[in-house]
Amino acid sequence: MRLFADTGNLEQLRELKEMGVISGVTTNPTIASREGQSLSKTLSAICELFPDKPVFGQVVETEKDKIIAQALKIGDIGQNIVVKIPATEDGIKAIAALKAKNRRVCATTVLTSAQALMAALAGADYVAPYVDKWDVSGYNGFQALEEIIAMFHAANLSSEVLAASIHRAQDVVEVAKRGCDILTIDYSLILSILRIPRPLVDGYVDNFLEDWHRAGCSV
């Protein structure tokens, strides 16, 4: 499983790049709006920081023709751009049209397995189920994620499953256990994975250091 960072903040992304744990970057209109500049500037800066990794930017238009026009504009920002398009009726039509133009797209706001199937059949390179939001639709998020993964394999669909809307450290493990292709999580969750066990970790590290000095060891 590959890990993506769900943020548009360059300072956060520089730190995560130094950690060497992320394989891509996702944004959405809410995330991009926090950076106080145009979407094109935010995505351009991220593409410059990660020239060899996929960078996701999302449309805000809701009608097919306008979605396509905006998606083409976003896609022209960088060679590694993937355009996120909500999996609505107009969105699915736009995905099919954009794939005919050899554009890379991700179907987002996916809340049912059947919706995921429609997006994959339309040609989406990535399908992004909102795992923690499935309860709103009356489904168990992790069971539904398993269903999508199994369905794509059984139907020989090439779309990658990009799990989104995960907010707890242990849920990262649950997604990985199910064989998901990609998980995108925000900066704070990535750090919390290392910080939650930190008091115990620090205790072990302190003991190692104390024993080392007591024995008069050197490297």
Side-chain angles (χ1 to χ4, degrees):
M1 186 191 75
R2 305 193 302 282
L3 184 66
F4 286 8
D6 198 29
T7 179
N9 185 284
L10 288 176
E11 184 176 342
Q12 294 176 355
L13 287 169
R14 289 189 187 98
E15 182 177 0
L16 294 175
K17 182 177 183 179
E18 188 176 358
M19 291 171 66
V21 298
I22 63 170
S23 300
V25 180
T26 59
T27 68
N28 60 39
T30 300
I31 289 171
S33 67
R34 295 174 185 153
E35 302 312 307
Q37 58 185 4
S38 69
L39 177 63
S40 60
K41 287 185 178 179
T42 296
L43 293 179
S44 293
I46 298 172
C47 287
E48 185 176 347
L49 186 62
F50 295 99
D52 58 344
K53 301 186 187 302
V55 176
F56 290 61
Q58 185 169 327
V59 300
V60 293
E61 296 290 353
T62 58
E63 298 177 5
K64 184 196 74 173
D65 291 341
K66 292 181 179 179
I67 291 173
I68 293 169
Q70 190 172 59
L72 291 172
K73 184 177 180 180
I74 292 172
D76 287 340
I77 292 171
Q79 292 185 342
N80 51 333
I81 288 287
V82 178
V83 183
K84 293 170 66 178
I85 298 173
T88 61
E89 292 177 43
D90 280 82
I92 295 297
K93 294 174 184 176
I95 288 170
L98 289 163
K99 288 309 300 175
K101 298 177 182 292
N102 295 316
R103 297 296 182 128
R104 298 173 70 195
V105 295
C106 171
T108 190
T109 63
V110 173
L111 294 173
T112 72
S113 299
Q115 186 188 14
L117 177 60
M118 292 299 103
L121 291 172
D125 299 278
Y126 305 86
V127 175
Y130 283 8
V131 179
D132 271 1
K133 305 299 185 185
W134 286 73
D135 291 343
V136 177
S137 302
Y139 297 91
N140 177 286
F142 292 113
Q143 289 179 357
L145 181 63
E146 285 182 3
E147 186 174 64
I148 292 173
I149 293 168
M151 175 177 65
F152 282 13
H153 288 166
N156 198 29
L157 294 169
S158 61
S159 302
E160 291 196 273
V161 180
L162 194 165
S165 188
I166 289 291
H167 305 293
R168 296 179 299 179
Q170 184 57 32
D171 288 347
V172 173
V173 177
E174 293 300 324
V175 170
K177 284 165 55 179
R178 284 160 172 80
C180 193
D181 298 301
I182 305 163
L183 170 63
T184 186
I185 55 177
D186 65 24
Y187 169 82
S188 61
L189 181 52
I190 293 174
L191 291 190
S192 75
I193 292 171
L194 300 174
R195 289 176 177 173
I196 288 173
R198 186 65 185 270
L200 289 174
V201 172
D202 286 348
Y204 286 119
V205 171
D206 290 343
N207 287 338
F208 293 148
L209 183 60
E210 183 179 338
D211 292 341
W212 181 267
H213 287 318
R214 185 184 299 114
C217 294
S218 61
V219 177

